[in-house]
Amino acid sequence: MSFRRFRAIARKEFLHILRDPRSLAMSLALPVVMMALFGYALTLDVDRIPLALFDQDRTPDSRELASRFSGSRYFDLVTTIDNYAEAEALIDRGTCLAVLTIPRNYGADLRRGDVGVVQLLLDGTDSNTASIALGYATGITADWSQQIRDRILEHQLGRSFESPLQLRPRIWYNTTLESKNYIVPGLIAVILMIIAALLTSLTIAREWEMGTMEQLLSTPVRPLELVLGKMSAYFALGMADTLLAVVLGVFVFGVPLRGNLLLLAVSCFVFMAGALCWGIFLSATVRSQLLAFQLGMVSSFLPAFLLSGFVFAIQNMPVPVQAFTYVIPARYFVTVLKDIFLKGVGMSVIGIEILFLTIFAVVVALAATQKVKGKIA
């Protein structure tokens, strides 16, 4: 390999990037736009659920139960109603997602020591939100039921009564349970995969369409020099996007970065190299920029977004799909980023993931070189 020929190819690609300011601006603006859209718009937090109250009992007991719902951060009491027709109309219009119905004689049943029964109507159109709302409601009623039971026992025993079991949860790594702390590190992986694959997927295909590939073939440049030279310019651009995405995640969205910066840089370096080589492989396989762009989008964005564990838990997917995710490099990089950002772990924990990313980068680099060599031959 000749460093002189490698430098000449790299210089050519750098000049091409600088001569196309719109593409350069798009490459630098894409992380900002995606971080803003996904970081603010995409959230898994479910709180302030709009709730309507249908209180048929209208006693202090029913009002106290209603206050348990309206006073929590999970429900927002938007209105009170007088019949089931209003409840149906509110849910149909989307004004509220849940309706708490307290029947007549609820307070009297509690004072007699009987079981008080209340009803919660939920809009199941969004099954995930409805399931979470049901869990919140179950927790509120269970806690209130325990307090009523304690009062009864105190009255019967004539002394205060403590529950024999108390749960004292302690949340590690994401103490506030904010979904942005989970989403933003994974979003960095998705952004890098898209930028790397899409930018380099057009390089060699562009040379064929512009008719300059024949000029390159007439030079003594070797396939490895061509691949590394073209990759180097976009590698610098990709690392700039990486730095921009990390800065936005830490200082704008407030995601904690507890891990080692050097380990983070090495991980991004390995992943970026593999993603860039994948784009060059696609570009060398087809001679059309449009087809290369489409293949780059299908093979980078969709797997990174859907099958990497970025948003959707892999363990909840069908078994065949879970098996397929093992060939998705973004799966390993998402795990690495989340562990470095939130847990602050080292190589002893994420070494296997980084090894898989390294293997992917080497295999794809060899495949890209062979494909370019075949085109030259």
Side-chain angles (χ1 to χ4, degrees):
M1 174 178 171
S2 170
F3 178 75
R4 181 181 178 183
R5 292 194 292 265
F6 159 76
R7 185 179 61 182
I9 296 296
R11 182 174 180 273
K12 172 182 175 298
E13 290 300 318
F14 271 110
L15 290 176
H16 176 78
I17 293 174
L18 295 177
R19 289 170 181 170
D20 189 2
R22 290 178 296 181
S23 298
L24 178 61
M26 183 194 71
S27 302
L28 295 176
L30 184 60
V32 179
V33 174
M34 290 192 66
M35 290 288 283
L37 288 177
F38 285 94
Y40 286 114
L42 182 59
T43 176
L44 303 179
D45 299 329
V46 179
D47 51 12
R48 312 310 302 171
I49 299 169
L51 173 74
L53 174 63
F54 181 18
D55 186 359
Q56 303 176 63
D57 194 45
R58 300 184 186 274
T59 61
D61 296 297
S62 65
R63 287 192 292 270
E64 190 166 8
L65 175 62
S67 68
R68 295 282 169 169
F69 281 81
S70 61
S72 72
R73 70 180 182 90
Y74 305 115
F75 291 94
D76 182 20
L77 183 60
V78 295
T79 185
T80 58
I81 57 178
D82 298 320
N83 52 67
Y84 278 104
E86 291 184 59
E88 184 177 358
L90 289 173
I91 292 178
D92 288 345
R93 290 196 301 266
T95 305
C96 66
L97 187 139
V99 176
L100 176 64
T101 303
I102 305 177
R104 293 183 178 86
N105 302 321
Y106 163 78
D109 291 339
L110 291 182
R111 287 189 292 272
R112 286 196 307 266
D114 295 336
V115 176
V117 179
V118 296
Q119 182 184 57
L120 183 70
L121 301 175
L122 285 170
D123 181 1
T125 305
D126 185 347
S127 59
N128 183 65
T129 303
S131 298
I132 295 175
L134 180 59
Y136 290 156
T138 302
I140 292 174
T141 53
D143 181 67
W144 178 228
S145 178
Q146 180 65 43
Q147 292 188 35
I148 295 175
R149 187 182 299 112
D150 292 345
R151 289 180 186 178
I152 295 174
L153 289 174
E154 288 177 13
H155 178 73
Q156 293 177 348
L157 298 176
R159 61 181 178 84
S160 60
F161 177 82
E162 292 187 2
S163 175
L165 178 64
Q166 291 184 354
L167 176 65
R168 296 182 179 179
R170 181 181 178 185
I171 302 171
W172 287 6
Y173 310 130
N174 186 9
T175 55
T176 57
L177 294 178
E178 295 182 77
S179 61
K180 67 179 180 63
N181 293 337
Y182 174 83
I183 291 175
V184 171
L187 181 59
I188 295 175
V190 175
I191 291 174
L192 297 187
M193 189 68 188
I194 295 174
I195 291 177
L198 292 187
L199 288 179
T200 54
S201 65
L202 305 178
T203 54
I204 297 179
R206 182 180 62 243
E207 299 283 2
W208 283 111
E209 289 191 354
M210 295 178 61
T212 56
M213 193 64 181
E214 288 79 2
Q215 299 176 10
L216 285 176
L217 296 179
S218 64
T219 65
V221 64
R222 297 179 179 178
L224 181 61
E225 297 163 352
L226 179 63
V227 171
L228 294 181
K230 284 185 171 295
M231 189 182 74
S232 61
Y234 297 103
F235 185 85
L237 184 59
M239 293 308 292
D241 287 330
T242 302
L243 179 61
L244 181 60
V246 171
V247 169
L248 288 174
V250 174
F251 294 102
V252 176
F253 293 98
V255 179
L257 177 55
R258 300 189 175 98
N260 186 285
L261 286 175
L262 179 60
L263 182 58
L264 177 63
V266 171
S267 304
C268 294
F269 179 94
V270 174
F271 179 76
M272 181 66 66
L276 289 171
C277 289
W278 175 250
I280 292 178
F281 173 78
L282 294 177
S283 184
T285 302
V286 298
R287 298 189 179 187
S288 167
Q289 291 191 70
L290 177 60
L291 182 57
F293 179 84
Q294 293 172 339
L295 288 175
M297 177 62 71
V298 171
S299 62
S300 62
F301 175 72
L302 294 179
F305 188 84
L306 299 176
L307 302 177
S308 65
F310 162 53
V311 175
F312 309 106
I314 295 177
Q315 59 269 24
N316 295 335
M317 298 178 183
V319 175
V321 178
Q322 292 185 39
F324 181 73
T325 61
Y326 285 102
V327 301
I328 305 298
R331 167 185 175 145
Y332 305 103
F333 192 47
V334 167
T335 300
V336 168
L337 287 177
K338 290 179 179 179
D339 285 353
I340 292 178
F341 268 85
L342 301 179
K343 298 181 180 180
V345 299
M347 283 293 294
S348 60
V349 177
I350 58 176
I352 297 297
E353 283 77 9
I354 294 179
L355 176 61
F356 276 113
L357 290 176
T358 304
I359 293 173
F360 169 76
V362 172
V363 170
V364 176
L366 293 176
T369 302
Q370 290 298 318
K371 182 60 67 172
V372 172
K373 183 178 180 180
K375 291 293 183 181
I376 293 178

